[in-house]
Amino acid sequence: MGQFTLIPPSAATNAPAVDALYYFQSFVTVVMTAVIFLGIIIFAVKYRKRSNDEKPPMIHGSTALEITWSIIPFLVMLVMFFWGAKIYFDNGKAPANALDVFIVGKQWMWKVQYPGGQREINELHVPVNVPVKLTLASEDVIHSFFLPAFRLKRDVVPGRYNTEWFIATKPGRYHIFCAEYCGTEHSGMVGWVTVMEPKEYENWLAGGGATGTMAEQGGRLFSQLGCSSCHLFTAGGRCPNLMNVFGNKQQMSDGSTVIADESYVRESILNPNAKIVYGYKPDIMPTFQGEVNEEQLLQLIAYIKSLSPHHAPAVPAAAGKSAPKVPKAPATGAASVGSL
Ligand code: CUA
């Protein structure tokens, strides 16, 4: 990894698709630059002033020429637009069987946790040839999680979850960078992703020394914070029964419905009055803003997810059983392209 290269190593299924678009854009740029500079030189010579009393003829422009040089670049740009949009949307939704990994950005480190409860800092371990979904949260300011070898980059924004996914194709160690200026030690907010064979990966997970899965850690928090005294698992609690809530439609007291996803659960913990479940009163639940950090929020969400069996978090051990088929060229947001 020491040698200088123009293009980062290519270690995920996204990479070829992003590279192809990047090469196309570079090609168009070079061609256009050549056309413009050749034009300048040729016209400068051809129409140079030959004598002092030479009067050039009056010209009134050419509509055909102007339309041509507007339409052709327009079409070329549209190709880039749709090509980039396709790559962006292909990267938007992780396959259902993707392994979950949760990443919290904080000045100035990346905190990583796995559904099995393992945690590490500035290191991310993933199996090869398995789709992996990253859920990104920030504890303070905007960061950007950048995996050049995977051609992936996503902003990590306080107050919301962003996701991205990839299938790593080559075992090895690759850089993680923060790609959004986030303060004094932004440039030091770096880490490594290690891509391992599934067998090795399972050994690594087993050696993680986790104290329970993320859902179990969340369950402990749930009783420590007193949530369990109001959210009973029977009817008649002061707060809703959370059994089978996650992933399902919830009726709100203002008549709207909400799908209980990660963001909804997060909001309900930090700002309980934002959405009141039908049949319940506001101002019963206190806010937990400042009481729980982003990592604990993710654990609580994992716990609430685990109460909906159909939406149980992916168990890492399942990774090795059968490597899922690699979908055709999923790819990253076009945003990564410009900064290579
Ligand atoms: Cu975090 Cu730059």
Side-chain angles (χ1 to χ4, degrees):
M1 203 147 287
Q3 80 275 31
F4 174 79
T5 50
L6 278 179
I7 300 268
S10 167
T13 48
N14 302 335
V18 173
D19 287 350
L21 175 57
Y22 182 70
Y23 291 137
F24 173 73
Q25 290 179 328
S26 304
F27 173 77
V28 170
T29 307
V30 168
V31 169
M32 287 312 295
T33 307
V35 166
I36 289 167
F37 274 84
L38 278 176
I40 291 173
I41 293 163
I42 290 168
F43 290 139
V45 172
K46 188 168 176 199
Y47 298 109
R48 71 187 182 278
K49 189 173 174 184
R50 287 163 209 262
S51 72
N52 274 339
D53 38 51
E54 185 186 355
K55 282 257 160 57
M58 206 55 159
I59 293 174
H60 289 282
S62 160
T63 312
L65 194 58
E66 286 193 23
I67 289 176
T68 310
W69 75 41
S70 300
I71 297 276
I72 292 176
F74 174 67
L75 293 178
V76 173
M77 296 293 163
L78 273 190
V79 169
M80 290 179 189
F81 172 77
F82 283 108
W83 193 342
K86 185 185 180 304
I87 291 176
Y88 183 82
F89 285 113
D90 282 349
N91 189 238
K93 195 154 169 45
N97 62 349
L99 286 184
D100 270 316
V101 180
F102 301 89
I103 294 173
V104 175
K106 183 183 178 229
Q107 288 170 322
W108 287 276
M109 64 179 86
W110 299 108
K111 300 196 281 185
V112 179
Q113 29 179 5
Y114 302 82
Q118 301 84 352
R119 302 161 73 158
E120 49 187 347
I121 287 177
N122 294 338
E123 290 281 346
L124 168 64
H125 288 76
V126 296
V128 71
N129 293 331
V130 173
V132 175
K133 177 186 168 194
L134 306 178
T135 300
L136 305 159
S138 168
E139 203 140 316
D140 36 44
V141 298
I142 302 179
H143 304 274
S144 179
F145 193 75
F146 184 26
L147 292 167
F150 297 179
R151 311 292 189 270
L152 274 187
K153 178 158 61 179
R154 191 72 88 217
D155 275 5
V156 181
V157 183
R160 60 171 292 180
Y161 292 129
N162 279 345
T163 61
E164 63 182 3
W165 73 281
F166 57 83
I167 298 172
T169 51
K170 245 189 251 160
R173 276 179 48 92
Y174 309 98
H175 279 294
I176 299 171
F177 292 120
C178 179
E180 180 79 51
Y181 181 69
C182 56
T184 320
E185 283 165 50
H186 154 72
S187 62
M189 195 168 163
V190 295
W192 292 94
V193 51
T194 306
V195 179
M196 311 168 98
E197 295 294 345
K199 196 92 209 123
E200 265 181 87
Y201 184 67
E202 276 184 50
N203 291 341
W204 176 84
L205 278 179
T211 51
T213 64
M214 265 178 87
E216 284 162 6
Q217 293 168 2
R220 282 201 290 275
L221 275 175
F222 194 76
S223 45
Q224 277 164 23
L225 295 166
C227 316
S228 49
S229 55
C230 295
H231 290 282
L232 306 179
F233 293 123
T234 55
R238 295 207 301 154
C239 300
N241 176 355
L242 298 179
M243 221 50 165
N244 288 317
V245 161
F246 194 90
N248 293 315
K249 244 192 217 158
Q250 304 300 313
Q251 180 79 41
M252 296 297 126
S253 58
D254 64 0
S256 60
T257 56
V258 173
I259 298 276
D261 59 4
E262 284 91 349
S263 300
Y264 167 76
V265 176
R266 182 180 194 282
E267 182 188 58
S268 301
I269 296 170
L270 298 179
N271 185 11
N273 285 334
K275 295 190 179 74
I276 301 295
V277 175
Y278 180 78
Y280 291 86
K281 286 201 253 344
D283 298 323
I284 301 277
M285 175 172 159
T287 171
F288 285 84
Q289 190 95 51
E291 306 265 324
V292 287
N293 62 28
E294 290 294 335
E295 286 171 287
Q296 293 171 324
L297 276 170
L298 288 165
Q299 292 163 5
L300 283 168
I301 291 169
Y303 172 64
I304 288 160
K305 246 187 208 179
S306 72
L307 301 174
S308 295
H310 295 300
H311 292 271
V315 180
K321 273 186 209 137
S322 59
K325 264 196 241 128
V326 178
K328 255 196 288 151
T332 182
S336 321
V337 175
S339 56
L340 287 177

